[in-house]
Amino acid sequence: MAGLVAAAFVCVLILWAVVGAAVIAVWTRDSRRHRRFQAALARLNEWVSSGHPEDPTRGLDEKLGTFPPAFLLSCVADPSIPETSANVLSSWIASRWRRHLVRYAASTDPRQASRRVNALRVLSRADGDVVPLLERALQDGDAEVVSAAISLLGSTVDRRAAESLVGALRENRYQPSRIATALDRFPLPIPDLLRSLASDANPIARFWGATLLSRYGDAEGVADDMARLVRDPDPQVRKAAVETLGTVGGDNAAAAALGLLGDPVWYVRAHAARALGDLGLAELAPHVIGLLGDPQWWVRQAAKESLEKMGPGVWRDLVKCLDHPDAFARNGAAEVLQNLGILDSLIVLEASDDHPGADKIELLRKIAAAGGVRMTNALLERTDAELSQRIRALLDRIGLEAAGA
Amino acid sequence: MAAFLHSALWWSVLVAFVALLAIYAAVIVRSALLSGARRRNVIAADPAEQSALAASRFTIPVSVITSLEAERPIAIDVLRSLLALDYPQFEIIAVTDSSRGGALLELLKREFALAPRQMFYRRSLPGHDVHAIYGGPRDERLLVVDHVSSQPAGAWNCAVNLARYRYIGVVAPDRTVARDALLKAMTPANTDPASVVAILGHLGAPQAAAAVAATAGGDTRSAASGLLEGFDRLQRLRDEVSGVTAPADLGVTTVSPEAFGLWRRDAVIEAGGFAPAKAGEGLDLALRVQQATRQRNADCRILLMPDAGQCRPSETLRSSIARQARCYHAMLESAWRSRGQLAASTGRVSAVSAVAWHVLPGLLEGWLVVALPLSIVFGVLGWRLALAAAITVSLAKGVVTNAALLVQADADGGTGGGTGRANPVREICLGALEFAVHRPLAAAAAALGSYEFVTGRR
């Protein structure tokens, strides 16, 4: 055993020393390169920030020209480099190694995906005609390459980029929400492309078309498209259309949303209620209040949020709901009255009055009954000590603190 | 009898020594083979893409829940770090129990200008009544719930009932999070929300907590804590480079009790919510969700992320052993409850692979830690030979570490990881000391975890 251990010891010691030395050698080489790159970058940052009239890339040839382009591509991908300097560096790299970059960007070798993405990023920054390369990357089998291509297409000021993204969305080539994110931030107006999406035979494309058009409420034909899509056979499309109507408004928006409050699909009803809240039409509150007793919890929640968005003007309609036979509807009405500050205003006003009005007392009794003891307790905790005493006395006097929901 | 024991000890040391060296050699070969594949994996995140996602209205909103324990001033830092998350739409539901001393609740009310309010919500999961709910006019995303809950599971279930969004992020009371943690962790769910039911992850190094401690009046990390972090980092590096990750190999959920979790709300409710579990509430729920989805034959995925920007607090030697013991307990618990899956024909190969790459080296190292001193005591080996064997194993492990460092440097493409990597001499030395310094602690933790598993509830 001693011989075995001795032999193993010697072998392992040599291996440990050799591999360790290799690690240190690689680190030393990388550190030296990195330091040189950082020095060049610091000088570049200085030139860029000082607005020096001379070409900021002057001197880069001398400092960085000997580095392999793949190394420089990796360095420029560092997110800590300031935007302007990264743009200058990208232009310099693209002007010096354009042929290399185009070759890297067109490579379909999965092991070189990182270099391909970095080359695409540099070419995009350098304002080259990169759309055809990005379109090829969009067809790649590597999800990370496709994701990078989508992001770069989304920031390219070229209508062909938007057309490619719309095509990818139609063909369901990648996660639709990622493509939609790129289209939603697209730097050029593209309502015509999105309208074509909203008329597509594929319901997923129609859904995204309807959703993305919310940015273009003033564009011609968008209101008509939405009016058509709220009657779409696909509930997701109806949901998207009513949501967009809530954002863009228009003459028919409220009527379309009201029509969907009775939709058989619960999430369409919920979004119709939210759309009415976004439109801020308090006069339509009675229609939304009806949903406080909806069988689906999420619809009731949406109705509450919608009423709160409509503002304090809805209080008279809400008060009527306090007599609703459904306990959920009563609870919901009380919660909205509390969140709108109506309950606080009312009780503070009455507590400071030595002879509170009978109708107000009755109203308070109803709210407290619908909201339960915890609502009155929360109210007492919200007010300062002196006022709290007066409110407590008022509640005691009219026997409200014993009310149960 | 004595001769037999003598001989058994001698042979066991020899077999463990040779087997360990062979496994280390295999790990190095595997790392080298995988290094080509790793090169493609280091596509740097594009800040423009990240900021687009962080601002997108199509990014799925998340309800972040946490149970705040009494007497923990770090709660304020935790909530601040959550409120600073770079994510388009989220809410924070923090549950605290004022019946165990209301000082924390009062502190929160004062710090975040909270006011009580009544809320009606659906009780999808059973639990105690809510005592009070507080919201802030200053930041409507924050909701603090006063709820009697002796266990975190009860508090989390209460928060799930109040949650409005489709995904639930569970954060432990003593963890701060990085600004981009939620965006990073939610990436798979944002890509495929139809099938991703849970995203679980192990915690990163405790820098963030240390930073919190530092801003609060000095870094409390000890030298031992720094050493333990270093060993943890090396272990993760070796696992990553060699592609040895037990959960992936086993095809079952093996999550450490400290792991954070992002859950799809419907899956949590279908599985009956969180339940107190010695090996960790997250693990327990993951196994139930896995079971429920398998029964339904649904296309549901539970994903594991190595690190999504959450950090555990600074550790002492004792707390580190206790944590490792809990992890070991969780791993055994998971393997026990998933034994049906392991026995299935599809799981056998991966189970053998996981045992060979993950469990066996640990067991052999643990055995040598015990057997080498015993060999000296019983005169089986001379102290010089035992010491030489121990140093050889230590250096061999150091070779594995060095190989991983080399592969990592190569995968960075010579950029030093973009921002420059620290001098590797410390890591090279730590790698060579790991067997002698860290393995005895790990062996103690494994023994403790196994004892808890055998004597505890499973």
Side-chain angles (χ1 to χ4, degrees):
Chain A
M1 186 161 176
L4 176 76
V5 171
F9 176 78
V10 172
C11 290
V12 165
L13 181 63
I14 292 170
L15 261 178
W16 179 77
V18 168
V19 183
V23 171
I24 292 169
V26 168
W27 176 80
T28 309
R29 183 201 66 188
D30 290 349
S31 298
R32 198 172 297 148
R33 273 183 178 176
H34 197 255
R35 271 200 304 275
R36 276 177 62 192
F37 177 78
Q38 287 300 324
L41 180 65
R43 192 175 145 77
L44 180 64
N45 287 340
E46 211 174 290
W47 275 55
V48 168
S49 59
S50 67
H52 203 282
E54 278 187 53
D55 178 10
T57 61
R58 233 191 81 195
L60 285 179
D61 279 337
E62 185 195 330
K63 288 181 187 302
L64 303 177
T66 54
F67 286 161
F71 167 79
L72 290 171
L73 285 179
S74 308
C75 288
V76 177
D78 183 354
S80 65
I81 297 180
E83 180 77 13
T84 326
S85 298
N87 287 341
V88 171
L89 267 174
S90 297
S91 299
W92 173 74
I93 294 170
S95 67
R96 198 179 157 95
W97 286 289
R98 183 157 208 99
R99 269 191 315 131
H100 282 82
L101 294 193
V102 171
R103 202 177 69 236
Y104 294 161
S107 162
T108 50
D109 180 355
R111 290 184 310 157
Q112 303 298 343
S114 163
R115 199 171 66 178
R116 183 182 188 186
V117 168
N118 288 339
L120 285 169
R121 284 176 184 164
V122 165
L123 285 170
S124 291
R125 280 180 185 276
D127 285 335
D129 181 16
V130 78
V131 174
L133 288 166
L134 290 172
E135 281 174 342
R136 279 181 69 177
L138 207 53
Q139 310 281 348
D140 201 87
D142 188 316
E144 283 189 86
V145 172
V146 178
S147 169
I150 289 168
S151 171
L152 292 171
L153 281 168
S155 57
T156 304
V157 191
D158 187 329
R159 192 180 155 81
R160 286 175 303 161
E163 286 167 358
S164 298
L165 288 170
V166 167
L169 193 56
R170 264 203 186 101
E171 292 162 22
N172 208 12
R173 215 175 293 153
Y174 192 70
Q175 178 62 28
S177 66
R178 287 295 287 276
I179 304 175
T181 297
L183 283 170
D184 206 32
R185 295 165 57 92
F186 200 74
L188 297 174
I190 46 167
D192 53 325
L193 289 177
L194 299 179
R195 284 191 65 204
S196 73
L197 209 54
S199 309
D200 200 278
N202 177 1
I204 297 174
R206 289 202 301 281
F207 166 79
W208 284 109
T211 304
L212 289 164
L213 277 169
S214 65
R215 258 181 80 190
Y216 300 101
D218 297 335
E220 194 185 336
V222 170
D224 294 339
D225 284 345
M226 293 307 120
R228 174 173 51 81
L229 291 174
V230 291
R231 293 189 298 276
D232 196 279
D234 190 283
Q236 289 279 359
V237 179
R238 295 200 296 277
K239 181 200 102 170
V242 79
E243 199 175 358
T244 293
L245 281 173
T247 310
V248 303
D251 298 339
N252 302 320
L258 281 174
L260 290 181
L261 287 179
D263 197 279
V265 179
W266 69 265
Y267 55 79
V268 179
R269 295 199 298 279
H271 277 83
R274 286 208 176 92
L276 287 171
D278 290 338
L279 291 169
L281 301 171
E283 63 272 23
L284 298 179
H287 300 278
V288 180
I289 286 170
L291 294 185
L292 286 174
D294 194 278
Q296 269 290 336
W297 176 265
W298 296 110
V299 180
R300 296 200 290 268
Q301 182 68 25
K304 282 193 274 186
E305 288 168 14
S306 171
L307 290 165
E308 283 175 29
K309 272 189 183 166
M310 287 178 179
V314 301
W315 79 273
R316 282 181 196 283
D317 297 308
L318 275 171
V319 165
K320 290 176 200 157
C321 191
L322 294 173
D323 293 322
H324 200 286
D326 184 339
F328 286 127
R330 294 199 302 272
N331 291 162
E335 190 180 335
V336 177
L337 284 167
Q338 170 201 253
N339 292 350
L340 287 173
I342 307 288
L343 174 64
D344 290 44
S345 312
L346 191 65
I347 206 152
V348 168
L349 202 66
E350 295 311 305
S352 56
D353 190 345
D354 290 335
H355 304 287
D359 54 338
K360 301 278 173 54
I361 292 293
E362 184 53 24
L363 181 56
L364 281 174
R365 195 190 305 275
K366 281 182 182 174
I367 297 174
V373 179
R374 274 210 296 261
M375 186 172 276
T376 48
N377 284 346
L379 170 70
L380 287 169
E381 202 180 330
R382 277 198 299 272
T383 49
D384 62 57
E386 192 190 338
L387 196 56
S388 177
Q389 282 297 329
R390 292 182 71 95
I391 293 172
R392 203 180 292 277
L394 174 67
L395 291 173
D396 280 349
R397 195 151 20 113
I398 55 181
L400 281 184
E401 94 274 51
Chain B
M1 185 66 181
F4 171 75
L5 287 176
H6 193 276
S7 171
L9 193 57
W10 190 89
W11 276 104
S12 70
V13 169
L14 181 67
V15 168
F17 180 77
V18 173
L20 252 186
L21 294 188
I23 289 173
Y24 288 158
V27 169
I28 293 170
V29 171
R30 186 173 162 139
S31 304
L33 291 175
L34 286 174
S35 64
R38 258 186 62 78
R39 186 190 284 274
R40 67 147 306 291
N41 282 335
V42 288
I43 294 177
D46 181 5
E49 192 177 339
Q50 293 296 309
S51 66
L53 286 177
S56 171
R57 59 190 169 118
F58 305 128
T59 303
I60 300 173
V62 180
S63 299
V64 180
I65 67 175
T66 183
S67 68
L68 301 176
E69 292 168 20
E71 315 305 334
R72 274 193 188 271
I74 197 172
I76 303 289
D77 293 313
V78 171
L79 287 184
R80 279 199 191 123
S81 84
L82 290 174
L83 286 167
L85 278 169
D86 195 10
Y87 200 80
Q89 200 179 359
F90 66 96
E91 63 177 356
I92 299 160
I93 304 171
V95 182
T96 183
D97 182 0
S98 67
S99 66
R100 289 192 283 161
L104 180 61
L105 182 61
E106 288 307 316
L107 184 68
L108 293 172
K109 279 158 66 176
R110 207 170 44 244
E111 192 66 31
F112 296 101
L114 300 171
R117 65 160 83 145
Q118 168 65 319
M119 273 179 78
F120 293 96
Y121 60 94
R122 182 170 53 171
R123 279 177 66 158
S124 307
L125 297 171
H128 293 292
D129 269 345
V130 164
H131 185 248
I133 299 172
Y134 298 85
R138 196 191 294 168
D139 197 329
E140 288 189 347
R141 296 172 303 172
L142 176 63
L143 211 60
V144 173
V145 184
D146 184 7
H147 174 257
V148 180
S149 48
S150 52
Q151 301 268 2
W156 292 343
N157 285 340
C158 164
V160 170
N161 284 335
L162 282 154
R164 286 186 298 156
Y165 298 134
R166 191 178 182 191
Y167 277 86
I168 313 274
V170 181
V171 177
D174 52 1
R175 264 174 232 165
T176 55
V177 293
R179 273 177 66 87
D180 60 348
L182 192 54
L183 195 63
K184 271 164 72 180
M186 274 294 287
T187 302
N190 276 313
T191 306
D192 186 11
S195 68
V196 175
V197 292
I199 303 162
L200 311 169
H202 298 281
L203 296 177
Q207 307 94 318
V212 168
T215 50
D219 190 344
T220 56
R221 276 187 301 172
S222 61
S225 176
L227 208 62
L228 291 169
E229 283 164 33
F231 289 131
D232 270 2
R233 207 168 43 244
L234 290 183
Q235 180 65 50
R236 278 200 304 276
L237 172 69
R238 281 196 305 268
D239 285 354
E240 192 189 332
V241 167
S242 62
V244 179
T245 46
D249 283 354
L250 281 166
V252 297
T253 311
T254 51
V255 185
S256 77
E258 283 83 8
F260 72 88
L262 273 163
W263 305 85
R264 212 171 66 194
R265 194 177 186 277
D266 59 323
V268 174
I269 290 168
E270 185 192 27
F274 295 94
K278 180 85 175 161
E281 292 83 357
L283 170 72
D284 178 74
L285 180 60
L287 290 168
R288 278 186 284 122
V289 166
Q290 201 168 37
Q291 207 168 10
T293 53
R294 204 175 290 148
Q295 275 169 1
R296 277 196 292 114
N297 214 10
D299 175 26
C300 292
R301 292 190 295 150
I302 296 177
L303 304 175
L304 289 148
M305 285 189 79
D307 175 19
Q310 276 196 305
C311 305
R312 61 169 179 262
S314 192
E315 285 183 319
T316 59
L317 209 61
R318 201 169 164 177
S319 66
S320 172
I321 292 176
R323 176 179 61 79
Q324 288 182 56
R326 282 200 306 279
C327 290
Y328 208 84
H329 183 178
M331 200 170 78
L332 291 173
E333 178 88 33
S334 166
W336 175 255
R337 285 171 61 174
S338 309
R339 59 192 183 279
Q341 167 77 1
L342 294 178
S345 58
T346 50
R348 260 180 226 149
V349 175
S350 52
V352 168
S353 153
V355 167
W357 293 109
H358 210 77
V359 182
L360 201 56
L363 288 177
L364 292 172
E365 285 174 13
W367 173 242
L368 279 183
V369 164
V370 178
L372 284 173
L374 283 178
S375 305
I376 299 171
V377 171
F378 293 111
V380 177
L381 297 176
W383 71 269
R384 282 195 184 87
L385 186 57
L387 186 64
I391 294 173
T392 305
V393 172
S394 270
L395 286 175
K397 191 149 195 181
V399 176
V400 180
T401 303
N402 290 356
L405 289 167
L406 196 59
V407 168
Q408 187 194 39
D410 180 52
D412 287 339
T415 61
T419 51
R421 194 172 294 286
N423 193 327
V425 171
R426 183 174 182 264
E427 261 113 346
I428 290 170
C429 296
L430 271 185
L433 286 174
E434 206 172 344
F435 173 75
V437 178
H438 193 235
R439 182 43 64 188
L441 300 178
L448 191 61
S450 305
Y451 174 76
E452 283 176 357
F453 172 70
V454 172
T455 58
R457 303 129 291 266
R458 59 167 196 260

